[in-house]
Amino acid sequence: MNKSQKEQYLREYSILKAQGKPFFPYAVAKDALMACVVMACIITLSLVLGAELGSKANPTTTTYVPRPEWYFFFLFELLRVIKPPSLVPLATIGVPTIGMILLFLLPFVDRGPERRPERRPIAMFTGIFVICAMALLTYEGANAGSPTAIEMPTPTAIVQAGGQTLAEFEAGKKVVAQSGCLACHKIGENGNDGPGPNLTHIASRLPRQGIARTLVNPTAPMPSFKNLPPQKFNAVVSFLSQLK
Amino acid sequence: MPKLPAPPVPAALKAPPPRPGDGNGKATPLDHAAEAGISVVDWVDERTSLSGAARWMMFRKVPKGTNWFYTLGSATMFAFLSQAVTGVFLAMFYKPDPSGGAYESIRHVTNEVFLGQFVRGMHKWGSSVMVILVFLHMGRTFFFGAYKYPRELNWLIGVVLLILTMVMSFTGYLLPFDQRAYWATIVGVNINGTGPLLGPYLSDFLRGGPEFGAVTLSRFYAIHMMLVPGLIAALIGAHLYLVAKLGTTAPPWLKAEKNPELRKAKA
Ligand code: HEM
């Protein structure tokens, strides 16, 4: 906006304002009614849905799938959509940061005098696109539950080996299924394909020590599992190192 | 003395004006109470001169065409106030002790304290309501072009409020210290750690060290109940000051009627 456009706007606005009504009581009455609606919503939600409390936090097991509050689902889903590891920082921090920077820059980029939505096609298109994208990602994120069982058949070689090997494999399968790994990894038919890599054939990529090292000292966002009891930990490593 | 504008109530509900001879000129107890109220206000005003500010805030005009979308900002503020009040009640019981005290205190509130679960539910669902309202309010200001001259600064303050609201929900999520809170927050902090440049420092700051440990919970608690709410309250003050100073936008499709004759005819 140049100087004359600014003056024109201020002049026009002062007329509209002079024709308006006083804030008190007209706007205050509307605001108060809206406040009652908000209060009614909060109270209803609280009465109907209550406040649950899961089991106590326990660093040695994760029987709960790590899941953020629903309004962060879109970020988590973004992680799943953006696969290559080199782009992960972009997805996790990059997109929100860039989004915030764009919001900060908006009034300095879009300085035209036009305010009517139908005459600001670029702004409207971008706004509606962002809203749709966030809604879609939230929806997908809400539906991406993670299973707590692995239905992979035990390989015949292991069944034949029997004994210790078979027991460790089955125990490891159970721990992995219960430990929220499937929220981020796909194993066989189960789990979400991302943000972590598919683990169905992890042993052909990573030796046993490598897997153990990853579990103790993983790359973010994977949490560290070094507090698992040694027995469970070994079972997990044995299970994964059989997935050729 | 400027006259107060009449409240917009239907004629049937308006109190009838006093008839001549009512009360025979004697002051009723109600009149005395009103008198006392007025002198208290006068006493405070004589020493603070606040009435000018109140009048400036309350009796400014809002432009014509202002509709229900303009209530979203104050609705957000109301949700914030509700969070503040319910939060104070929760803080009376909460112990930021990761070795079991935190979980135990929330369990105590939820299961044993009178109306505890209700207040906790209000705080928990109120956070969702507030996030939704912030986004709706931002959408309103965006689609109405309210971020343009002269309200750019108010938009910037708004973006900071949006970020702080998200920080509130992130830090609050850990406090119950159940499995969901614990693991989701570990992953969340790790995600912060993957950020370029500042990422690792940010996650170290949040954890209070390289490990998710005893300090982490009290750090989240302090951020959640003192640092960020204080910032939000202060910024809402600045936001509202600018709203009153600059006035709220008129809906963008309204054109002022320049000709005073036409303006009268329309009104
Ligand atoms: C804690 C969060 C917030 C509170 C309590 C709040 C409160 C308010 C209130 C009460 C108004 C008066 C007009 C109306 O209600 O529409 C307002 C106006 C405004 N807000 Fe906010 N707001 C918040 C967040 C935001 C955000 C996230 C943005 C955008 C990034 C924003 C941008 C604006 C702008 C540009 C105006 C001027 C609108 C106009 O003049 O028409 N606010 N805010």
Side-chain angles (χ1 to χ4, degrees), chain A residues 9 12-13 19 21 23-24 31 46 50 52 54-55 57-58 67 70-71 92 103 110 112 114-115 120, chain B residues 58 60 62 74 103 118 120 125 128 142 147-149 151 155 169 173 178-180 194 247-248 263:
Chain A
Y9 173 76
E12 173 121 1
Y13 178 71
Q19 292 173 342
K21 292 183 169 165
F23 177 71
F24 179 88
D31 286 348
S46 171
E52 56 172 28
S55 49
N58 184 349
R67 237 160 125 64
W70 66 268
Y71 34 79
T92 51
L103 281 181
D110 181 11
E114 188 52 74
R115 283 159 209 256
R120 293 155 54 213
Chain B
M58 300 308 278
R60 69 196 152 96
V62 292
S74 71
Y103 179 80
F118 176 62
R120 204 187 136 217
W125 293 104
S128 289
F142 177 79
Y147 54 86
K148 299 196 170 195
Y149 176 83
R151 299 185 182 80
W155 172 269
S169 39
Y173 203 61
D178 58 2
Q179 282 283 74
R180 179 215 300 256
T194 62
T248 47
R263 211 193 301 164

Side-chain angles (χ1 to χ4, degrees), chain A residues 4-23:
Chain A
S4 82
Q5 283 168 329
K6 285 182 180 173
E7 276 168 10
Q8 150 104 25
Y9 173 76
L10 292 179
R11 221 173 312 127
E12 173 121 1
Y13 178 71
S14 70
I15 297 177
L16 281 168
K17 193 167 170 179
Q19 292 173 342
K21 292 183 169 165
F23 177 71

Side-chain angles (χ1 to χ4, degrees), chain B residues 34-110:
Chain B
E35 203 60 41
I38 290 174
S39 40
V40 169
V41 172
D42 276 350
W43 188 89
V44 174
D45 191 40
E46 201 180 335
R47 283 152 185 84
T48 59
S49 309
L50 275 177
S51 70
R55 211 171 290 145
W56 176 77
M57 190 77 193
M58 300 308 278
F59 298 139
R60 69 196 152 96
K61 283 194 162 183
V62 292
K64 92 176 180 193
T66 299
N67 55 29
W68 284 98
F69 289 114
Y70 288 76
T71 61
L72 289 169
S74 71
T76 316
M77 183 170 72
F78 186 73
F80 174 71
L81 292 180
S82 162
Q83 291 302 88
V85 172
T86 50
V88 166
F89 282 103
L90 293 179
M92 289 175 183
F93 295 96
Y94 186 73
K95 296 190 196 72
D97 163 22
S99 61
Y103 179 80
E104 185 48 36
S105 63
I106 293 284
R107 197 199 55 71
H108 174 64
V109 169
T110 314

Side-chain angles (χ1 to χ4, degrees), chain B residues 70 73-74 76-77 130 134 137-138 140-141 146 151 154-155 158-159 161-162 165 236 239-240 243 247-249:
Chain B
Y70 288 76
S74 71
T76 316
M77 183 170 72
M130 180 168 168
V134 172
H137 171 63
M138 184 169 84
R140 197 286 281 171
T141 53
R151 299 185 182 80
N154 219 12
W155 172 269
V159 179
L161 281 170
L162 175 73
T165 308
I236 288 181
H239 203 67
L240 288 187
V243 166
T248 47
T249 46

Side-chain angles (χ1 to χ4, degrees), chain B residues 135-187:
Chain B
F135 274 102
L136 289 179
H137 171 63
M138 184 169 84
R140 197 286 281 171
T141 53
F142 177 79
F143 286 114
F144 281 31
Y147 54 86
K148 299 196 170 195
Y149 176 83
R151 299 185 182 80
E152 296 95 330
L153 189 56
N154 219 12
W155 172 269
L156 298 188
I157 295 176
V159 179
V160 179
L161 281 170
L162 175 73
I163 296 173
L164 291 177
T165 308
M166 296 316 254
V167 172
M168 283 303 269
S169 39
F170 179 68
T171 50
Y173 203 61
L174 176 68
L175 301 184
F177 224 65
D178 58 2
Q179 282 283 74
R180 179 215 300 256
Y182 180 79
W183 289 101
T185 306
I186 288 204
V187 173

Side-chain angles (χ1 to χ4, degrees), chain B residues 205-221:
Chain B
F205 168 74
L206 284 173
R207 276 188 298 249
E211 292 282 323
F212 196 99
V215 214
T216 315
L217 184 62
S218 31
R219 196 159 283 215
F220 270 56
Y221 186 47

Side-chain angles (χ1 to χ4, degrees), chain A residues 125-142:
Chain A
F125 178 78
T126 321
I128 291 172
F129 175 79
V130 169
I131 291 173
C132 291
M134 280 178 71
L136 185 71
L137 288 173
T138 304
Y139 175 79
E140 302 255 301

